[in-house]
Amino acid sequence: MVPLAASCGELGIMEIKEIKREDNMKSMKSSSIISIIILVGWMVLVPIITANEALAKSEEKTLRIGALVAMTGFFSIRDIPDFNETKIAADLINEMGGININGQKYMIELVSEDYKSTMDGTAAAANRLVYDKKLKFIIGPTAYFATATGPVCDPNKVIRIPTWVANSPGEVDATTPYAFVGCNATLATASGMAEYLKRAYPKTKNVTYVMIDDGTIPYTVPVVKRLLGAKGISIVGKPIVYSNDTLDFSPIAAKINANKGTDAVFHVNCVGPQIGNIVKALRELGNKMPYAACMPTTLTEVVAIAGKEATKDVFVGAITASDPKMAPLAKEICKRTTAKYGSDYTLYLTGADGLWDLKQVMEKAQSLDPTVVKTTWESMDTIETIFGPGKVCGDETFGIKHHVVAHPLPIQILKDGKVVSGGWMPVYMP
Amino acid sequence: MEQAIPTLTNILVLSSMYILVALGFVLLFNVVGIINFAHGAIYMLGGYIGFAFSVVCGLNQWLALLLTVLVIASFGLFLERFCFRPFAGDFNRTVTICIAIIVILETGVNIIGGTKILTFPAFVEGILRIGHVSVSYERILTFAIGAILLGITIWFIKRTKWGQQMQAVSQDVEAAALQGINVNRISAFASALGCGLAAIAGCLMGAYMGLSPFMGDFILVKVLIVAILAGVGSIGGIFFAGLVLGVIDAVFPLFISGAASSAVAVAIVIVILLIRPQGFFGHEMEM
């Protein structure tokens, strides 16, 4: 039994080996055929794909847009985060296909110049962008520094979009036909903050008005007074104004505290350290009034200086990364910014918004000619800002038709020790 | 009247802050003969290094303060040896070097530390309330440290051998050298001491007001005013000059709005200098 079985087993093995060899041959043949097909397909398709890619790339052009940024000096605290966000917005726009003009795609390349937080630095940086680099569109600078760019940009028909304006002559007005504002800036922010103040603290009737002495007081105060008046709020006493080189804000806090008969503090045109130090000194004096800081400065900065306890009832006009009601584009920029720079990074988004507005106007104009873009912007009534639906307005206040955009204002508050969104307020900008 | 007591505390705190920073500046000026325009930037650097020790490394803030003083004092030694000593007596080059140091330090901190507002953890917390008066312990501490350090510095200069050697160098370098005083060693020590004092002020102010890469720019103007008002060669005069500037800065904003208060304050300084060109306690200096 055993030998038979063994011989049978040997025969079986031979047969199996033969069958396996045949199978191997077959599978080798079929895999060779498949490989040849793939190889041929690859050889045919790859040039087609790469040719298409190359063709698509050759169709893309670069649009160089200037960015006036305070990289150095005291204002860099505000400008560097904003510029970092603008760069992220430019990348996002490029990923979305860039700016499409008559079927031609333009990828944005930001060309930055440091204006060194000085007026002469601003003029010099604007000259470099306009005369040396021949750029036709500029984002920035911020606030009153914009006045130094008008004499360079307007005669050369260069469109500039300051990242903030405070309403002083020469920022954006009848003398600056090529200047546009893409974000809320001082006045529209003040109107939205007044709305929140009234909703959150309905008994508020009188406020102490505080602002930095940046030369815009005669132009800002009457408008803010009117905007507050529209909400039934009055300014008590003279505006309390502090110098830009103020080291200790205790005297300012003492002055605010001594301004009797007020229900809240209304702080216009300010940066985080100023708000934080005034709030800290004010709370030390036992003053616990609501404090409206009309700037997109993050409350985190105020908490860092004044502490959580003191920051109760303080609110700012800033966007919050965790806000579920944020518009998708703003959400994406915030997501990328916080991923890159940290969760408590200041989110201004004013430069990003200016860039986004410019893209839309260019595409509507279907032109890169600054004069055509200017005329198109002036003809628009609405625009989709990254903060949501925006209205092109400000004719009465700025003395120029449709050069200013107003959009819903994000509010940031401190709740249960955490910086959270306080909702979105409508703004009013006549 | 209601504002009187808060204003009085503001005067004391502001004065002590100015005195603390000006002390280091004046030491360098008197002994090394350098108008260190980078003193504000060194003060800022002190605050940031203190922050790094206390927050990033998690050390106790008093230990962080001590380590910061050591680091910045060492930096002062470096500055004296490689930036100031080679150009001693050459005003133009010294000013250029100081400006370069300011730009390097401010830009460096701006890039490394970022633009985010940082604060050195408070040394003491809480508010002292007596009747209608309320002052934070932080402000009291700032004043106390300023006053104590001023006292120690004056004692050190007047009563110790090293201090007397510093005085000798500040009066006449050549005569001091002929007396066997190692001028370079005294200059290096004065630079280290001056920078160390700036570091203490930077940490205290960093806890009180927050840190910014450009915080030194604002304090430098005040320091220059205090030093000039005190008078060349006067350490004790700093106390008086700091108090005068503290009064001006704490009282004027109550009555004069905005930048005008700063302008009036500086105008008063000009008037004082017209009446007493040598400052309150200084001697006439030959340039």
Side-chain angles (χ1 to χ4, degrees), chain A residues 73 76-77 213 241 245 247-248 250 255 258 260 273 277 280 284 304 344, chain B residues 2-3 10 110 116 119 134 136 138-139 208-209 214 253-254 258-259 262:
Chain A
S76 60
I77 292 170
D213 193 353
V241 183
D245 63 358
L247 272 175
D248 188 358
S250 307
K255 225 169 160 179
K260 296 295 173 197
N277 280 305
K280 187 177 183 179
E284 269 179 35
D344 55 352
Chain B
E2 195 183 327
Q3 287 188 46
N10 289 343
N110 208 5
K116 208 164 70 176
T119 45
S134 54
S136 70
E138 216 174 357
R139 287 157 70 80
Y208 181 47
M209 295 176 178
F214 308 99
L254 297 174
S262 301

PDB file of all heavy atoms in Angstrom, chain A residues 73 76-77 213 241 245 247-248 250 255 258 260 273 277 280 284 304 344, chain B residues 2-3 10 110 116 119 134 136 138-139 208-209 214 253-254 258-259 262:
ATOM      1  N   GLY A  73       8.921  98.713  12.969  1.00  0.00           N
ATOM      2  CA  GLY A  73       8.317  99.848  13.656  1.00  0.00           C
ATOM      3  C   GLY A  73       7.078  99.452  14.428  1.00  0.00           C
ATOM      4  O   GLY A  73       6.610  98.307  14.333  1.00  0.00           O
ATOM      5  N   SER A  76       4.026  97.392  13.085  1.00  0.00           N
ATOM      6  CA  SER A  76       4.187  96.027  12.575  1.00  0.00           C
ATOM      7  C   SER A  76       3.388  95.036  13.417  1.00  0.00           C
ATOM      8  O   SER A  76       3.020  93.965  12.939  1.00  0.00           O
ATOM      9  CB  SER A  76       5.658  95.640  12.553  1.00  0.00           C
ATOM     10  OG  SER A  76       6.193  95.704  13.849  1.00  0.00           O
ATOM     11  N   ILE A  77       3.115  95.418  14.667  1.00  0.00           N
ATOM     12  CA  ILE A  77       2.290  94.561  15.540  1.00  0.00           C
ATOM     13  C   ILE A  77       0.948  94.297  14.877  1.00  0.00           C
ATOM     14  O   ILE A  77       0.395  93.214  14.933  1.00  0.00           O
ATOM     15  CB  ILE A  77       2.085  95.253  16.910  1.00  0.00           C
ATOM     16  CG1 ILE A  77       3.395  95.326  17.656  1.00  0.00           C
ATOM     17  CG2 ILE A  77       1.038  94.536  17.740  1.00  0.00           C
ATOM     18  CD1 ILE A  77       3.334  96.198  18.884  1.00  0.00           C
ATOM     19  N   ASP A 213      -4.741 109.935  19.699  1.00  0.00           N
ATOM     20  CA  ASP A 213      -4.544 111.212  19.010  1.00  0.00           C
ATOM     21  C   ASP A 213      -3.758 110.958  17.722  1.00  0.00           C
ATOM     22  O   ASP A 213      -2.550 111.140  17.653  1.00  0.00           O
ATOM     23  CB  ASP A 213      -3.767 112.168  19.928  1.00  0.00           C
ATOM     24  CG  ASP A 213      -3.808 113.590  19.411  1.00  0.00           C
ATOM     25  OD1 ASP A 213      -4.310 113.790  18.295  1.00  0.00           O
ATOM     26  OD2 ASP A 213      -3.349 114.488  20.122  1.00  0.00           O
ATOM     27  N   VAL A 241      -8.638 111.729  24.900  1.00  0.00           N
ATOM     28  CA  VAL A 241      -7.672 111.419  23.848  1.00  0.00           C
ATOM     29  C   VAL A 241      -6.300 111.183  24.466  1.00  0.00           C
ATOM     30  O   VAL A 241      -5.908 111.876  25.394  1.00  0.00           O
ATOM     31  CB  VAL A 241      -7.605 112.601  22.856  1.00  0.00           C
ATOM     32  CG1 VAL A 241      -6.664 112.282  21.717  1.00  0.00           C
ATOM     33  CG2 VAL A 241      -8.993 112.912  22.318  1.00  0.00           C
ATOM     34  N   ASP A 245       2.483 107.934  22.134  1.00  0.00           N
ATOM     35  CA  ASP A 245       3.662 107.507  22.901  1.00  0.00           C
ATOM     36  C   ASP A 245       3.341 107.321  24.389  1.00  0.00           C
ATOM     37  O   ASP A 245       4.245 107.275  25.216  1.00  0.00           O
ATOM     38  CB  ASP A 245       4.826 108.491  22.711  1.00  0.00           C
ATOM     39  CG  ASP A 245       4.501 109.880  23.240  1.00  0.00           C
ATOM     40  OD1 ASP A 245       3.371 110.085  23.716  1.00  0.00           O
ATOM     41  OD2 ASP A 245       5.380 110.765  23.186  1.00  0.00           O
ATOM     42  N   LEU A 247       2.915 105.776  27.771  1.00  0.00           N
ATOM     43  CA  LEU A 247       3.492 104.581  28.384  1.00  0.00           C
ATOM     44  C   LEU A 247       2.542 104.006  29.418  1.00  0.00           C
ATOM     45  O   LEU A 247       2.242 102.825  29.427  1.00  0.00           O
ATOM     46  CB  LEU A 247       4.803 104.950  29.069  1.00  0.00           C
ATOM     47  CG  LEU A 247       6.081 104.898  28.234  1.00  0.00           C
ATOM     48  CD1 LEU A 247       7.234 105.414  29.049  1.00  0.00           C
ATOM     49  CD2 LEU A 247       6.359 103.484  27.772  1.00  0.00           C
ATOM     50  N   ASP A 248       2.080 104.888  30.301  1.00  0.00           N
ATOM     51  CA  ASP A 248       1.209 104.448  31.377  1.00  0.00           C
ATOM     52  C   ASP A 248      -0.191 105.020  31.129  1.00  0.00           C
ATOM     53  O   ASP A 248      -0.358 106.239  31.031  1.00  0.00           O
ATOM     54  CB  ASP A 248       1.759 104.942  32.718  1.00  0.00           C
ATOM     55  CG  ASP A 248       0.989 104.357  33.882  1.00  0.00           C
ATOM     56  OD1 ASP A 248       0.019 103.605  33.644  1.00  0.00           O
ATOM     57  OD2 ASP A 248       1.346 104.658  35.037  1.00  0.00           O
ATOM     58  N   SER A 250      -2.714 104.833  33.120  1.00  0.00           N
ATOM     59  CA  SER A 250      -3.454 105.099  34.360  1.00  0.00           C
ATOM     60  C   SER A 250      -4.094 106.487  34.369  1.00  0.00           C
ATOM     61  O   SER A 250      -5.251 106.619  34.794  1.00  0.00           O
ATOM     62  CB  SER A 250      -2.536 104.935  35.570  1.00  0.00           C
ATOM     63  OG  SER A 250      -1.918 103.685  35.511  1.00  0.00           O
ATOM     64  N   LYS A 255      -9.122 109.570  34.111  1.00  0.00           N
ATOM     65  CA  LYS A 255      -9.972 110.555  33.432  1.00  0.00           C
ATOM     66  C   LYS A 255     -11.311 109.931  33.013  1.00  0.00           C
ATOM     67  O   LYS A 255     -12.366 110.554  33.144  1.00  0.00           O
ATOM     68  CB  LYS A 255      -9.225 111.044  32.180  1.00  0.00           C
ATOM     69  CG  LYS A 255      -9.274 112.544  31.984  1.00  0.00           C
ATOM     70  CD  LYS A 255      -8.305 112.914  30.902  1.00  0.00           C
ATOM     71  CE  LYS A 255      -8.646 114.272  30.334  1.00  0.00           C
ATOM     72  NZ  LYS A 255      -7.718 114.676  29.290  1.00  0.00           N
ATOM     73  N   ALA A 258     -13.462 109.514  35.976  1.00  0.00           N
ATOM     74  CA  ALA A 258     -13.997 110.775  36.514  1.00  0.00           C
ATOM     75  C   ALA A 258     -15.114 111.354  35.639  1.00  0.00           C
ATOM     76  O   ALA A 258     -15.791 112.294  36.042  1.00  0.00           O
ATOM     77  CB  ALA A 258     -12.864 111.793  36.633  1.00  0.00           C
ATOM     78  N   LYS A 260     -18.386 111.370  34.807  1.00  0.00           N
ATOM     79  CA  LYS A 260     -19.580 110.799  35.450  1.00  0.00           C
ATOM     80  C   LYS A 260     -20.792 110.741  34.509  1.00  0.00           C
ATOM     81  O   LYS A 260     -20.846 111.449  33.511  1.00  0.00           O
ATOM     82  CB  LYS A 260     -19.943 111.624  36.681  1.00  0.00           C
ATOM     83  CG  LYS A 260     -18.866 111.582  37.759  1.00  0.00           C
ATOM     84  CD  LYS A 260     -18.697 110.174  38.325  1.00  0.00           C
ATOM     85  CE  LYS A 260     -17.510 110.085  39.266  1.00  0.00           C
ATOM     86  NZ  LYS A 260     -17.079 108.706  39.506  1.00  0.00           N
ATOM     87  N   PRO A 273      -2.602  96.537  22.906  1.00  0.00           N
ATOM     88  CA  PRO A 273      -1.958  96.956  24.155  1.00  0.00           C
ATOM     89  C   PRO A 273      -2.620  98.178  24.791  1.00  0.00           C
ATOM     90  O   PRO A 273      -2.694  98.280  26.017  1.00  0.00           O
ATOM     91  CB  PRO A 273      -0.528  97.303  23.710  1.00  0.00           C
ATOM     92  CG  PRO A 273      -0.318  96.528  22.469  1.00  0.00           C
ATOM     93  CD  PRO A 273      -1.642  96.445  21.797  1.00  0.00           C
ATOM     94  N   ASN A 277      -4.228  97.931  28.481  1.00  0.00           N
ATOM     95  CA  ASN A 277      -3.712  98.762  29.576  1.00  0.00           C
ATOM     96  C   ASN A 277      -4.768  99.704  30.148  1.00  0.00           C
ATOM     97  O   ASN A 277      -4.796  99.941  31.352  1.00  0.00           O
ATOM     98  CB  ASN A 277      -2.487  99.547  29.110  1.00  0.00           C
ATOM     99  CG  ASN A 277      -1.238  98.691  29.134  1.00  0.00           C
ATOM    100  OD1 ASN A 277      -0.894  98.114  30.160  1.00  0.00           O
ATOM    101  ND2 ASN A 277      -0.586  98.544  28.002  1.00  0.00           N
ATOM    102  N   LYS A 280      -7.154  97.470  32.162  1.00  0.00           N
ATOM    103  CA  LYS A 280      -6.495  97.052  33.409  1.00  0.00           C
ATOM    104  C   LYS A 280      -6.524  98.181  34.445  1.00  0.00           C
ATOM    105  O   LYS A 280      -6.903  97.969  35.603  1.00  0.00           O
ATOM    106  CB  LYS A 280      -5.048  96.673  33.093  1.00  0.00           C
ATOM    107  CG  LYS A 280      -4.292  96.060  34.251  1.00  0.00           C
ATOM    108  CD  LYS A 280      -2.904  95.661  33.804  1.00  0.00           C
ATOM    109  CE  LYS A 280      -2.153  94.983  34.924  1.00  0.00           C
ATOM    110  NZ  LYS A 280      -0.821  94.573  34.521  1.00  0.00           N
ATOM    111  N   GLU A 284      -8.736  98.475  37.954  1.00  0.00           N
ATOM    112  CA  GLU A 284      -8.020  98.727  39.220  1.00  0.00           C
ATOM    113  C   GLU A 284      -8.711  99.821  40.028  1.00  0.00           C
ATOM    114  O   GLU A 284      -8.724  99.808  41.256  1.00  0.00           O
ATOM    115  CB  GLU A 284      -6.588  99.182  38.928  1.00  0.00           C
ATOM    116  CG  GLU A 284      -5.575  98.059  38.863  1.00  0.00           C
ATOM    117  CD  GLU A 284      -4.184  98.568  38.556  1.00  0.00           C
ATOM    118  OE1 GLU A 284      -3.827  99.666  39.014  1.00  0.00           O
ATOM    119  OE2 GLU A 284      -3.481  97.849  37.841  1.00  0.00           O
ATOM    120  N   ALA A 304      -4.348  89.048  27.733  1.00  0.00           N
ATOM    121  CA  ALA A 304      -2.922  88.878  28.071  1.00  0.00           C
ATOM    122  C   ALA A 304      -2.429  89.990  28.987  1.00  0.00           C
ATOM    123  O   ALA A 304      -1.622  89.754  29.878  1.00  0.00           O
ATOM    124  CB  ALA A 304      -2.090  88.842  26.797  1.00  0.00           C
ATOM    125  N   ASP A 344      -4.304  81.228  18.747  1.00  0.00           N
ATOM    126  CA  ASP A 344      -4.672  82.543  19.274  1.00  0.00           C
ATOM    127  C   ASP A 344      -4.115  83.693  18.424  1.00  0.00           C
ATOM    128  O   ASP A 344      -3.946  84.800  18.897  1.00  0.00           O
ATOM    129  CB  ASP A 344      -4.210  82.689  20.735  1.00  0.00           C
ATOM    130  CG  ASP A 344      -2.724  82.419  20.892  1.00  0.00           C
ATOM    131  OD1 ASP A 344      -2.103  81.978  19.916  1.00  0.00           O
ATOM    132  OD2 ASP A 344      -2.184  82.665  21.992  1.00  0.00           O
TER     133      ASP A 344
ATOM    134  N   GLU B   2     -11.254 113.639  43.743  1.00  0.00           N
ATOM    135  CA  GLU B   2     -11.409 112.195  43.546  1.00  0.00           C
ATOM    136  C   GLU B   2     -10.238 111.610  42.755  1.00  0.00           C
ATOM    137  O   GLU B   2      -9.851 110.465  42.934  1.00  0.00           O
ATOM    138  CB  GLU B   2     -12.716 111.934  42.802  1.00  0.00           C
ATOM    139  CG  GLU B   2     -13.149 110.489  42.864  1.00  0.00           C
ATOM    140  CD  GLU B   2     -14.388 110.241  42.058  1.00  0.00           C
ATOM    141  OE1 GLU B   2     -15.238 111.163  41.978  1.00  0.00           O
ATOM    142  OE2 GLU B   2     -14.508 109.136  41.519  1.00  0.00           O
ATOM    143  N   GLN B   3      -9.694 112.473  41.876  1.00  0.00           N
ATOM    144  CA  GLN B   3      -8.590 112.008  41.039  1.00  0.00           C
ATOM    145  C   GLN B   3      -7.234 112.166  41.715  1.00  0.00           C
ATOM    146  O   GLN B   3      -6.228 111.690  41.203  1.00  0.00           O
ATOM    147  CB  GLN B   3      -8.573 112.801  39.729  1.00  0.00           C
ATOM    148  CG  GLN B   3      -9.709 112.411  38.791  1.00  0.00           C
ATOM    149  CD  GLN B   3      -9.546 113.076  37.441  1.00  0.00           C
ATOM    150  OE1 GLN B   3      -8.475 113.076  36.870  1.00  0.00           O
ATOM    151  NE2 GLN B   3     -10.625 113.650  36.940  1.00  0.00           N
ATOM    152  N   ASN B  10      -0.076 107.327  40.472  1.00  0.00           N
ATOM    153  CA  ASN B  10       0.469 107.314  39.105  1.00  0.00           C
ATOM    154  C   ASN B  10       1.814 108.012  39.049  1.00  0.00           C
ATOM    155  O   ASN B  10       2.735 107.559  38.376  1.00  0.00           O
ATOM    156  CB  ASN B  10      -0.489 108.004  38.127  1.00  0.00           C
ATOM    157  CG  ASN B  10      -1.735 107.182  37.879  1.00  0.00           C
ATOM    158  OD1 ASN B  10      -1.752 105.991  38.162  1.00  0.00           O
ATOM    159  ND2 ASN B  10      -2.775 107.809  37.383  1.00  0.00           N
ATOM    160  N   ASN B 110      11.145  90.813  16.936  1.00  0.00           N
ATOM    161  CA  ASN B 110       9.912  90.801  16.144  1.00  0.00           C
ATOM    162  C   ASN B 110       9.795  89.503  15.347  1.00  0.00           C
ATOM    163  O   ASN B 110       8.715  88.918  15.237  1.00  0.00           O
ATOM    164  CB  ASN B 110       9.922  92.003  15.186  1.00  0.00           C
ATOM    165  CG  ASN B 110       8.524  92.469  14.840  1.00  0.00           C
ATOM    166  OD1 ASN B 110       7.549  91.966  15.369  1.00  0.00           O
ATOM    167  ND2 ASN B 110       8.428  93.427  13.958  1.00  0.00           N
ATOM    168  N   LYS B 116       2.754  88.950  18.411  1.00  0.00           N
ATOM    169  CA  LYS B 116       1.721  88.731  19.423  1.00  0.00           C
ATOM    170  C   LYS B 116       2.083  89.447  20.726  1.00  0.00           C
ATOM    171  O   LYS B 116       3.261  89.507  21.089  1.00  0.00           O
ATOM    172  CB  LYS B 116       1.601  87.228  19.677  1.00  0.00           C
ATOM    173  CG  LYS B 116       0.252  86.800  20.132  1.00  0.00           C
ATOM    174  CD  LYS B 116       0.075  85.313  19.989  1.00  0.00           C
ATOM    175  CE  LYS B 116       0.903  84.545  20.973  1.00  0.00           C
ATOM    176  NZ  LYS B 116       0.677  83.108  20.920  1.00  0.00           N
ATOM    177  N   THR B 119       2.963  88.849  27.842  1.00  0.00           N
ATOM    178  CA  THR B 119       3.132  89.482  29.155  1.00  0.00           C
ATOM    179  C   THR B 119       3.954  88.590  30.066  1.00  0.00           C
ATOM    180  O   THR B 119       3.772  87.375  30.100  1.00  0.00           O
ATOM    181  CB  THR B 119       1.788  89.771  29.868  1.00  0.00           C
ATOM    182  OG1 THR B 119       0.966  88.627  29.748  1.00  0.00           O
ATOM    183  CG2 THR B 119       1.098  90.985  29.323  1.00  0.00           C
ATOM    184  N   SER B 134      -7.627 102.805  45.408  1.00  0.00           N
ATOM    185  CA  SER B 134      -7.296 101.441  45.010  1.00  0.00           C
ATOM    186  C   SER B 134      -6.051 101.469  44.123  1.00  0.00           C
ATOM    187  O   SER B 134      -5.996 102.187  43.134  1.00  0.00           O
ATOM    188  CB  SER B 134      -8.464 100.785  44.276  1.00  0.00           C
ATOM    189  OG  SER B 134      -8.869 101.593  43.207  1.00  0.00           O
ATOM    190  N   SER B 136      -3.006  98.712  42.542  1.00  0.00           N
ATOM    191  CA  SER B 136      -2.628  97.298  42.419  1.00  0.00           C
ATOM    192  C   SER B 136      -1.282  97.077  43.106  1.00  0.00           C
ATOM    193  O   SER B 136      -0.419  97.960  43.118  1.00  0.00           O
ATOM    194  CB  SER B 136      -2.540  96.901  40.948  1.00  0.00           C
ATOM    195  OG  SER B 136      -1.432  97.507  40.345  1.00  0.00           O
ATOM    196  N   GLU B 138       0.983  95.317  42.062  1.00  0.00           N
ATOM    197  CA  GLU B 138       1.985  95.347  41.009  1.00  0.00           C
ATOM    198  C   GLU B 138       2.626  96.734  40.905  1.00  0.00           C
ATOM    199  O   GLU B 138       3.840  96.873  40.764  1.00  0.00           O
ATOM    200  CB  GLU B 138       1.271  95.029  39.695  1.00  0.00           C
ATOM    201  CG  GLU B 138       2.056  94.214  38.737  1.00  0.00           C
ATOM    202  CD  GLU B 138       1.193  93.845  37.538  1.00  0.00           C
ATOM    203  OE1 GLU B 138      -0.007  94.179  37.492  1.00  0.00           O
ATOM    204  OE2 GLU B 138       1.742  93.218  36.636  1.00  0.00           O
ATOM    205  N   ARG B 139       1.771  97.749  40.998  1.00  0.00           N
ATOM    206  CA  ARG B 139       2.266  99.132  40.903  1.00  0.00           C
ATOM    207  C   ARG B 139       3.079  99.491  42.142  1.00  0.00           C
ATOM    208  O   ARG B 139       4.109 100.163  42.057  1.00  0.00           O
ATOM    209  CB  ARG B 139       1.086 100.096  40.733  1.00  0.00           C
ATOM    210  CG  ARG B 139       0.474 100.007  39.345  1.00  0.00           C
ATOM    211  CD  ARG B 139      -0.953 100.498  39.314  1.00  0.00           C
ATOM    212  NE  ARG B 139      -1.073 101.928  39.508  1.00  0.00           N
ATOM    213  CZ  ARG B 139      -0.868 102.843  38.557  1.00  0.00           C
ATOM    214  NH1 ARG B 139      -0.517 102.453  37.354  1.00  0.00           N
ATOM    215  NH2 ARG B 139      -1.023 104.114  38.801  1.00  0.00           N
ATOM    216  N   TYR B 208       3.684  94.527  33.926  1.00  0.00           N
ATOM    217  CA  TYR B 208       2.695  95.572  34.198  1.00  0.00           C
ATOM    218  C   TYR B 208       1.928  95.997  32.938  1.00  0.00           C
ATOM    219  O   TYR B 208       0.713  96.189  32.956  1.00  0.00           O
ATOM    220  CB  TYR B 208       3.439  96.753  34.830  1.00  0.00           C
ATOM    221  CG  TYR B 208       2.587  97.932  35.196  1.00  0.00           C
ATOM    222  CD1 TYR B 208       1.397  97.766  35.883  1.00  0.00           C
ATOM    223  CD2 TYR B 208       2.989  99.215  34.872  1.00  0.00           C
ATOM    224  CE1 TYR B 208       0.621  98.855  36.218  1.00  0.00           C
ATOM    225  CE2 TYR B 208       2.226 100.307  35.206  1.00  0.00           C
ATOM    226  CZ  TYR B 208       1.045 100.121  35.864  1.00  0.00           C
ATOM    227  OH  TYR B 208       0.274 101.195  36.183  1.00  0.00           O
ATOM    228  N   MET B 209       2.649  96.133  31.802  1.00  0.00           N
ATOM    229  CA  MET B 209       2.028  96.691  30.599  1.00  0.00           C
ATOM    230  C   MET B 209       2.035  95.760  29.397  1.00  0.00           C
ATOM    231  O   MET B 209       1.498  96.103  28.352  1.00  0.00           O
ATOM    232  CB  MET B 209       2.786  97.951  30.165  1.00  0.00           C
ATOM    233  CG  MET B 209       2.713  99.067  31.137  1.00  0.00           C
ATOM    234  SD  MET B 209       3.734 100.377  30.514  1.00  0.00           S
ATOM    235  CE  MET B 209       3.445 101.599  31.759  1.00  0.00           C
ATOM    236  N   PHE B 214       8.739  97.009  20.339  1.00  0.00           N
ATOM    237  CA  PHE B 214       9.046  98.430  20.182  1.00  0.00           C
ATOM    238  C   PHE B 214       8.821  99.237  21.459  1.00  0.00           C
ATOM    239  O   PHE B 214       8.802 100.471  21.442  1.00  0.00           O
ATOM    240  CB  PHE B 214       8.231  98.997  19.016  1.00  0.00           C
ATOM    241  CG  PHE B 214       8.419  98.174  17.783  1.00  0.00           C
ATOM    242  CD1 PHE B 214       7.481  97.223  17.419  1.00  0.00           C
ATOM    243  CD2 PHE B 214       9.574  98.272  17.037  1.00  0.00           C
ATOM    244  CE1 PHE B 214       7.684  96.406  16.319  1.00  0.00           C
ATOM    245  CE2 PHE B 214       9.791  97.473  15.934  1.00  0.00           C
ATOM    246  CZ  PHE B 214       8.844  96.543  15.575  1.00  0.00           C
ATOM    247  N   PRO B 253      -1.878 114.745  31.245  1.00  0.00           N
ATOM    248  CA  PRO B 253      -2.959 114.139  30.451  1.00  0.00           C
ATOM    249  C   PRO B 253      -4.348 114.361  31.054  1.00  0.00           C
ATOM    250  O   PRO B 253      -5.353 114.222  30.355  1.00  0.00           O
ATOM    251  CB  PRO B 253      -2.610 112.643  30.457  1.00  0.00           C
ATOM    252  CG  PRO B 253      -1.158 112.594  30.709  1.00  0.00           C
ATOM    253  CD  PRO B 253      -0.873 113.746  31.624  1.00  0.00           C
ATOM    254  N   LEU B 254      -4.396 114.714  32.340  1.00  0.00           N
ATOM    255  CA  LEU B 254      -5.694 114.963  32.966  1.00  0.00           C
ATOM    256  C   LEU B 254      -6.290 116.285  32.487  1.00  0.00           C
ATOM    257  O   LEU B 254      -7.507 116.463  32.463  1.00  0.00           O
ATOM    258  CB  LEU B 254      -5.554 115.003  34.491  1.00  0.00           C
ATOM    259  CG  LEU B 254      -5.088 113.718  35.178  1.00  0.00           C
ATOM    260  CD1 LEU B 254      -4.858 113.966  36.653  1.00  0.00           C
ATOM    261  CD2 LEU B 254      -6.110 112.600  34.979  1.00  0.00           C
ATOM    262  N   GLY B 258      -4.465 114.301  24.608  1.00  0.00           N
ATOM    263  CA  GLY B 258      -3.658 113.673  23.578  1.00  0.00           C
ATOM    264  C   GLY B 258      -2.208 114.074  23.496  1.00  0.00           C
ATOM    265  O   GLY B 258      -1.537 114.307  24.504  1.00  0.00           O
ATOM    266  N   ALA B 259      -1.738 114.169  22.247  1.00  0.00           N
ATOM    267  CA  ALA B 259      -0.321 114.420  21.993  1.00  0.00           C
ATOM    268  C   ALA B 259       0.108 115.787  22.524  1.00  0.00           C
ATOM    269  O   ALA B 259       1.290 116.006  22.791  1.00  0.00           O
ATOM    270  CB  ALA B 259      -0.036 114.321  20.508  1.00  0.00           C
ATOM    271  N   SER B 262       2.083 115.634  25.702  1.00  0.00           N
ATOM    272  CA  SER B 262       3.495 115.268  25.526  1.00  0.00           C
ATOM    273  C   SER B 262       4.294 116.469  25.050  1.00  0.00           C
ATOM    274  O   SER B 262       5.420 116.704  25.506  1.00  0.00           O
ATOM    275  CB  SER B 262       3.640 114.148  24.497  1.00  0.00           C
ATOM    276  OG  SER B 262       2.919 113.028  24.889  1.00  0.00           O
TER     277      SER B 262
END
